[in-house]
């Protein structure tokens, strides 16, 4: 059950919130709980891709009889990483596209590197993905 | 008798290739699909059966790969290459396609017929997205090193030229294609030309080019434009 829950949450986040590193015009920063600086972008001008991503996510939920629920309209303002680590913790959802790496350097992993979170390989122990 | 065999065997092989197709008899969402509890095991229902996999022509295999029902999952990873890697690990058709010597040539035949401005502006945003995603799918395949490595120099040059032309048409409709739609056309070019992009390297540095070639990371559309411009110069100089 926990495995199914993990899969559904994982796929929900990844399908619902578009997950592509795209063009950015200027960068901003946010802070991890322990004060490390994480780079964020405004997101790209890719609004014509949002409907297909939303439709595919909705169809995936049907195709897999998933319990996933749509919590709001998709946007290019933030991505799944940003939702999980920033927006859901009360951070801004504007200009908040959070890439895994930035200029080839670790970015997202700062949250679990000498910070408030630790990494686990046990799917039953996760809090964020 | 010998004469009969000489005539009959080629005919039989030809007939086999003509008939070998794969249109995914079990689709996502079907009863058979949902009967399998393990999500990842469901993908096995889409696999081409081994005997058919070896008989199917490359032309038909390309059709099957472009119609892969779970292509949508390429959008669920950090970048489109990682997305392709994921579906490749789930579907034997992609693995087989990468082994075919004529895969690139067959993909090029299909790609040549794709017109980036071939959509009606009165279509819904969803319909436009579906249209644009066809380019993403085929360009991702054409960008795979395994496929590019099997193209001869003449075909590669033609592919670079076709990509440049299509990129320019896409740029005229950049409002629709955006960075997502433009990047894969340039990926096909960059994977082939990366060592020759001297001006781009000077302007952006090796690290930026490598990051794009590896995982489509880029900061501005100008970067994509510059790669296409230098590709044109390489082609015109005959390098």
């Amino acid at each position: 059950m926990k495995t199914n829950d993990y899969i559904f949450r994982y796929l929900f986040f990844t399908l619902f919130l578009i997950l592509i590193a795209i063009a950015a015009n200027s960068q901003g920063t946010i802070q991890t709980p322990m004060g490390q600086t994480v780079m964020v972008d405004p997101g790209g001008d890719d609004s014509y891709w949002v409907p297909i991503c939303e439709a595919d996510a909705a169809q995936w939920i049907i195709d897999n009889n998933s319990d996933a629920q749509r919590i709001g309209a998709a946007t290019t303002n933030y991505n799944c990483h940003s939702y999980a680590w920033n927006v859901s913790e009360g951070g801004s959802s504007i200009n908040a596209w959070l890439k895994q790496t930035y200029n080839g350097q670790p970015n997202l992993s700062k949250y679990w590197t000498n910070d408030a979170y630790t990494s686990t390989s046990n799917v039953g122990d996760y809090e964020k993905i | 008798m010998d004469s009969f065999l000489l005539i009959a065997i080629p005919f039989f092989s030809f007939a086999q290739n003509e008939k070998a197709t794969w249109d995914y008899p079990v689709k996502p969402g079907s009863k058979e699909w949902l009967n399998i509890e393990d999500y990842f095991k469901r993908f096995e229902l889409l696999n081409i059966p081994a005997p058919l996999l070896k008989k199917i022509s490359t032309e038909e295999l390309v059709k099957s790969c472009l119609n892969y029902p779970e292509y949508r999952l390429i959008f669920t990873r950090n970048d489109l290459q990682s997305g392709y890697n994921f579906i490749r690990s789930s579907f034997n058709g992609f693995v087989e396609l990468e082994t075919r010597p004529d895969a690139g040539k067959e993909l090029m035949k299909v790609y040549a017929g794709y017109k980036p401005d071939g959509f009606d502006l009165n279509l819904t945003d969803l319909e436009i997205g579906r249209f644009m995603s066809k380019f993403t799918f085929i360009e991702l395949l054409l960008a795979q090193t395994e496929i590019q490595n099997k193209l001869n120099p003449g075909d590669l040059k033609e592919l670079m030229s076709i990509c440049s032309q299509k990129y320019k048409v896409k740029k005229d409709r950049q409002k629709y294609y955006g960075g997502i739609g433009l990047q894969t056309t340039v990926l096909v070019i960059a994977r082939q030309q990366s060592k020759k992009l001297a001006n781009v390297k000077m302007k952006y540095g090796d690290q930026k080019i490598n990051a794009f070639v590896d995982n489509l990371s880029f900061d501005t559309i100008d970067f994509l434009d510059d790669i296409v411009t230098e590709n044109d110069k390489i082609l015109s100089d005959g390098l």
Side-chain angles (χ1 to χ4, degrees):
Chain A
M1 187 61 194
K2 285 204 168 187
T3 302
N4 286 339
D5 192 43
Y6 164 79
I7 291 167
F8 124 68
R9 283 170 187 255
Y10 177 74
L11 286 165
F12 170 63
F13 281 128
T14 52
L15 275 168
F16 179 62
L17 300 165
I18 312 162
L19 248 183
I20 305 164
I22 48 177
N25 296 319
S26 61
Q27 64 193 38
T29 60
I30 54 177
Q31 303 289 310
T32 65
M34 302 288 277
Q36 295 190 75
T37 299
V38 175
M39 309 303 292
V40 287
D41 289 331
D45 181 21
D46 293 283
S47 57
Y48 279 89
W49 290 87
V50 171
I52 187 174
C53 290
E54 286 196 311
D56 282 353
Q59 189 61 48
W60 182 89
I61 290 171
I62 294 168
D63 287 347
N64 291 285
N65 200 20
S66 169
D67 294 333
Q69 292 182 357
R70 186 178 188 269
I71 59 172
T75 173
T76 57
N77 287 330
Y78 62 93
N79 60 347
C80 65
H81 296 321
S82 188
Y83 181 82
W85 298 92
N86 168 47
V87 179
S88 68
E89 297 293 335
S92 172
S93 61
I94 306 296
N95 296 338
W97 198 274
L98 203 173
K99 294 179 183 175
Q100 189 177 28
T101 59
Y102 210 92
N103 285 335
Q105 299 300 311
N107 193 45
L108 178 63
S109 61
K110 289 177 181 174
Y111 280 96
W112 60 87
T113 306
N114 301 318
D115 215 281
Y117 296 91
T118 55
S119 176
T120 178
S121 56
N122 184 351
V123 293
D125 292 341
Y126 77 91
E127 184 178 342
K128 292 184 182 296
I129 299 172
Chain B
M1 185 64 183
D2 286 350
S3 303
F4 172 77
L5 282 174
L6 283 172
I7 295 166
I9 290 172
F11 177 77
F12 178 71
S13 301
F14 176 75
Q16 291 264 308
N17 282 340
E18 281 290 291
K19 287 179 182 173
T21 60
W22 183 245
D23 191 30
Y24 307 97
V26 178
K27 303 274 195 304
S30 64
K31 191 177 173 184
E32 295 92 332
W33 181 265
L34 290 169
N35 275 345
I36 297 182
E37 197 165 334
D38 186 319
Y39 172 69
F40 293 102
K41 283 199 184 308
R42 290 173 181 169
F43 291 114
E44 292 173 15
L45 296 172
L46 303 176
N47 275 341
I48 303 174
L52 182 63
L53 194 61
K54 294 301 169 191
K55 284 181 190 167
I56 193 168
S57 69
T58 307
E59 182 184 359
E60 286 298 328
L61 183 58
V62 162
K63 285 182 193 169
S64 298
C65 286
L66 292 175
N67 289 324
Y68 183 57
E70 290 294 0
Y71 234 128
R72 58 191 172 186
L73 296 177
I74 63 168
F75 292 108
T76 65
R77 293 297 183 272
N78 280 314
D79 59 79
L80 289 173
Q81 181 59 49
S82 300
Y84 172 73
N85 293 346
F86 174 66
I87 60 170
R88 183 188 181 281
S89 71
S90 308
F91 177 52
N92 61 0
F94 295 122
V95 178
E96 175 67 19
L97 186 65
E98 289 186 11
T99 69
R100 298 286 179 100
D102 53 345
K105 191 74 178 166
E106 289 299 330
L107 283 164
M108 280 175 65
K109 284 183 193 170
V110 178
Y111 185 52
Y114 282 15
K115 309 295 179 200
D117 58 354
F119 63 90
D120 188 332
L121 298 180
N122 293 320
L123 293 177
T124 65
D125 292 356
L126 177 58
E127 289 168 331
I128 291 173
R130 291 257 176 257
F131 179 91
M132 296 189 301
S133 68
K134 286 197 317 176
F135 284 87
T136 303
F137 299 159
I138 196 165
E139 286 169 349
L140 258 183
L141 289 170
L142 282 164
Q144 297 312 303
T145 307
E146 289 296 323
I147 287 174
Q148 290 195 354
N149 283 350
K150 295 181 183 71
L151 282 169
N152 66 43
D155 289 336
L156 277 171
K157 192 173 178 182
E158 186 186 347
L159 179 60
M160 296 300 102
S161 177
I162 291 172
C163 286
S164 178
Q165 292 163 22
K166 294 201 190 298
Y167 183 81
K168 285 160 192 159
V169 180
K170 282 184 175 186
K171 274 286 287 185
D172 288 341
R173 294 197 168 186
Q174 184 177 331
K175 169 186 166 187
Y176 302 96
Y177 282 95
I180 294 175
L182 292 171
Q183 63 181 338
T184 44
T185 318
V186 182
L187 184 68
V188 180
I189 294 172
R191 285 258 168 88
Q192 186 54 223
Q193 305 283 41
S194 62
K195 289 178 181 168
K196 299 178 184 172
L197 298 171
N199 295 333
V200 177
K201 280 182 186 176
M202 198 178 300
K203 185 171 177 181
Y204 298 95
D206 282 353
Q207 192 179 16
K208 292 274 188 187
I209 293 179
N210 293 339
F212 179 70
V213 167
D214 292 345
N215 54 33
L216 294 108
S217 175
F218 65 99
D219 298 324
T220 67
I221 300 294
D222 288 347
F223 175 77
L224 304 180
D225 293 345
D226 288 340
I227 290 175
V228 175
T229 300
E230 186 153 18
N231 174 61
D232 288 346
K233 186 171 186 309
I234 291 166
L235 293 175
S236 67
D237 291 348
L239 297 175

